[in-house]
Amino acid sequence: MIQIVNLYKYFQDKRILSGVNLEIETGKITTIVGRSGCGKSVLLKHIVGLLHPDEGKVLIEGEALSDMTTDELFEVRKKMGLVFQNGALFDSMSVEENIGLGLREHTKLSNAEISNKVSKLLEMVGLPGIEKYRPSELSGGMKKRVSLARALAMDPQYVLYDEPTTGLDPIMSAIIDDLILRLNNDLNITSIVVTHDMKSVYKISDRVAMLHYGIVRFNGTPDELKNTNDHVVRQFIEGNVEGPIQPVLKDGR
Amino acid sequence: MPLIKQIIIALSEFLLLDKFGRKVLQFFAGLGESSMLLYRSVKNLRYIVRDRYLIVEQMSIVGVNSIPLVVVTASFAGMVAAVQAGYQLEDFGSPSMFLGSSTSRAIVIELAPVLTGLVLAGRFGASIAAEIGTMKVTEQIDALETMAIDPIRYLATPRIIAGIVMMPILIIFADLIAMSGSLFIGYTTMDVSPQAFFASVEKFMVLRDVLSGLLKALMFGGSTALIGCYVGFATEGGAEGVGMATIRAFVLSSAAILVNDYIVASVILL
């Protein structure tokens, strides 16, 4: 289980997270929603230890990340996979080298075994035969799926997705959603999905948390989300311009 | 009016001091951070055998790929040294007795290390900063970390080792090319025979000259790679940030080469 306890984060004088409390249940898909810039990705980066909280802590299986040494943190990260919003594929490497890097670094598998595993992972994400491609030759959707294959290479217990369907067409978004569901069911992976794609949220989520002004405004099932009376949450999920959330535009309108 | 003028002067002095103070603080913060980077890179030397492929790859990038640039720089440096020496030796009669020693000592001690160092600061120092900087702004460094791979071990240590090992080799190569260029000019325009040229080199050049050049090369290689890595890891923003990092790496590496040049010259030659 992942527990986020009273998490605060400031960037210079700006408060991004204002005491986030959240529990991520093992084996479930939890989606984190909220407006752009509300701190969803910042929260995700705290969960993998890329950012350090100013107050509060993140507990992975009861152990606080902030109390760990670098080596201990690396051991925890081996149990995690992060799918970056833009893929974050290493552009100096081929697809095969990208996916196999973790295996080369942390296991004693032979080159043939690594190649075999990479091929299986590419089949799993629906991209067989692209081992020799460079990231620059891939479309946005392909990059995200290769990034997912890379995240799965070390057989992680937790997979975190940073806006996996943003910028994709509806069909590709549906393919990614199905993939997340299938991986969760087949491999019993605990998934955390940061998104503002409400269609995806209803399709894949076991639990939904909404971040608003740096705190968890809503935490419940998709059905509870649909039936909530909270006006702020309702405005967000229905995408209404009128309501308690007042978007500030650059020109002051 | 004088009072307003005084206030404006005081204010501008305060602002200048404030700006200067910030720059000084930034300088010392950068010095501290780059020292930490060096310390962590040295700690990763225990993985040197495991990471040999990464190191050899970087050696190839720093060394083999720089050879054309070194050939052009060193050959012209050697030829210019010969022309200059020939011009100054005219006053002493025949240049044949001193051309070899005067040009070769200047090449080995100063010209080859500094000119090659400066050219390579632009080539591999800036390219390290651009490569690591791009990885930083496109979250590839974060991706390495989430894969439990230390970016300093994976990216910085091999580049710093490659810089320290390959720069002296390139400088020895540059020495030979520059001396050949010098001999070519002496032979074709001043009637200095190869025998007279090398006899002069043998008579006047001492081991300390060569060691001084090699020590400089070692320090130039290490500092250029370290600065490239430090600036790369500190990159922020998008393409503009990477562009600024590239310029910054070149400027800082060049300045570090000149400072190191003076330090080594003071210690070895004085």
Side-chain angles (χ1 to χ4, degrees), chain B residues 18-77:
Chain B
D18 184 47
K19 204 174 171 185
F20 177 72
R22 276 174 201 272
K23 288 279 175 199
V24 170
L25 282 175
Q26 275 174 6
F27 172 76
F28 281 108
L31 206 61
E33 284 166 11
S34 52
S35 303
M36 275 306 294
L37 176 62
L38 181 63
Y39 168 71
R40 288 180 64 186
S41 300
V42 169
K43 260 179 78 180
N44 284 322
L45 287 177
R46 59 193 154 142
Y47 300 114
I48 199 165
V49 176
R50 184 180 140 184
D51 292 340
R52 59 191 179 280
Y53 297 113
L54 294 171
I55 295 167
V56 169
E57 188 188 348
Q58 288 306 316
M59 281 178 166
S60 167
I61 293 168
V62 175
V64 180
N65 297 358
S66 300
I67 286 174
L69 202 58
V70 171
V71 169
V72 173
T73 311
S75 54
F76 279 98

Side-chain angles (χ1 to χ4, degrees), chain B residues 8-156:
Chain B
I8 291 170
I9 290 168
L11 202 63
S12 59
E13 278 175 356
F14 172 75
L15 288 173
L16 274 175
L17 276 176
D18 184 47
K19 204 174 171 185
F20 177 72
R22 276 174 201 272
K23 288 279 175 199
V24 170
L25 282 175
Q26 275 174 6
F27 172 76
F28 281 108
L31 206 61
E33 284 166 11
S34 52
S35 303
M36 275 306 294
L37 176 62
L38 181 63
Y39 168 71
R40 288 180 64 186
S41 300
V42 169
K43 260 179 78 180
N44 284 322
L45 287 177
R46 59 193 154 142
Y47 300 114
I48 199 165
V49 176
R50 184 180 140 184
D51 292 340
R52 59 191 179 280
Y53 297 113
L54 294 171
I55 295 167
V56 169
E57 188 188 348
Q58 288 306 316
M59 281 178 166
S60 167
I61 293 168
V62 175
V64 180
N65 297 358
S66 300
I67 286 174
L69 202 58
V70 171
V71 169
V72 173
T73 311
S75 54
F76 279 98
M79 289 193 285
V80 168
V83 171
Q84 291 281 353
Y87 171 70
Q88 290 180 49
L89 289 171
E90 267 177 9
D91 297 340
F92 300 95
S94 166
S96 62
M97 193 185 286
F98 300 108
L99 185 77
S101 63
S102 59
T103 55
S104 300
R105 289 186 83 179
I107 287 166
V108 167
I109 296 170
E110 196 67 31
L111 286 176
V114 174
L115 287 179
T116 311
L118 288 172
V119 168
L120 292 183
R123 194 193 164 274
F124 93 95
S127 88
I128 289 173
E131 187 183 2
I132 296 180
T134 305
M135 291 183 75
K136 174 85 187 300
V137 300
T138 55
E139 294 185 307
Q140 293 176 51
I141 303 279
D142 284 349
L144 276 178
E145 289 216 42
T146 54
M147 293 166 80
I149 298 169
D150 180 4
I152 291 175
R153 194 214 96 218
Y154 194 78
L155 298 171

Side-chain angles (χ1 to χ4, degrees), chain A residues 81-100:
Chain A
L82 176 57
V83 182
F84 286 83
Q85 189 175 347
N86 294 313
L89 299 176
F90 306 117
D91 43 26
S92 59
M93 298 180 191
S94 67
V95 166
E96 182 175 9
E97 288 166 336
N98 261 282
I99 299 171

Side-chain angles (χ1 to χ4, degrees), chain B residues 238-257:
Chain B
E240 190 188 356
V242 175
M244 291 301 292
T246 310
I247 296 167
R248 205 168 149 229
F250 174 62
V251 172
L252 289 175
S253 306
S254 303
I257 283 170

